[in-house]
Amino acid sequence: MNGMESEREEAMRSDFREQAALQQRTYQAGVTESEIGECFSKAREIHGRWNEGPHAGQWQYLTGAYEDFRDRPDTMDRFLDNVEHNRAQGWDGGLDEVQRRSLRQAKALTEPHRVRPRNQIQREH
């Protein structure tokens, strides 16, 4: 999965941010059925462009990481901590740099949407 030039990687990350934002938009109050359809259509177009291209493996890795961080954030936080710890010890764990950045991007994109524990919500009042 190596060999992704930085310009292509940044384009992939930008498109993924847009796709994630489109998907999140469908959950907002007041969004019409027409707008939801438009969001899904644009998101599918972005996904199709990357999922079939020369960097499909990296796109699929990023997509999987995003879904994992969304569905199992605590597990993925521990996984990313282990990846970073092992890297600091000189072991790459079989991940390339693009994959490591994908893990960090997936975490960053899902963090604002995590459900906070009740005790955190109460402390803010």
Side-chain angles (χ1 to χ4, degrees):
M1 284 196 222
N2 286 323
M4 187 174 213
E5 54 284 339
S6 61
E7 296 82 19
R8 294 300 300 158
E9 182 180 349
E10 184 47 45
M12 178 184 78
R13 298 203 183 287
S14 177
D15 280 354
F16 196 86
R17 275 189 302 274
E18 181 181 356
Q19 176 185 279
L22 287 164
Q23 290 169 340
Q24 282 299 320
R25 172 109 173 86
T26 65
Y27 293 104
Q28 294 175 351
V31 177
T32 67
E33 289 296 319
S34 174
E35 291 169 327
I36 290 171
E38 189 176 313
C39 286
F40 279 130
S41 177
K42 287 179 183 177
R44 275 193 306 274
E45 185 265 319
I46 292 168
H47 179 75
R49 187 170 59 234
W50 285 98
N51 201 44
E52 301 299 321
H55 302 294
Q58 290 291 7
W59 178 262
Q60 291 161 3
Y61 189 87
L62 176 55
T63 299
Y66 179 82
E67 292 168 355
D68 288 344
F69 267 105
R70 183 191 63 209
D71 298 341
R72 294 179 297 285
D74 294 339
T75 300
M76 289 304 291
D77 282 343
R78 285 191 300 275
F79 175 71
L80 182 55
D81 287 346
N82 285 337
V83 166
E84 297 297 352
H85 174 78
N86 291 338
R87 184 175 179 274
Q89 304 301 314
W91 185 59
D92 68 8
L95 299 176
D96 63 35
E97 291 300 308
V98 176
Q99 290 169 322
R100 284 183 54 252
R101 288 189 290 272
S102 289
L103 289 170
R104 289 196 301 270
Q105 181 181 15
K107 179 178 179 167
L109 287 171
T110 57
E111 275 183 325
H113 308 289
R114 289 186 184 187
V115 176
R116 294 177 296 171
R118 181 174 289 285
N119 61 350
Q120 281 185 336
I121 295 168
Q122 290 173 343
R123 265 185 276 167
E124 291 175 1
H125 293 291

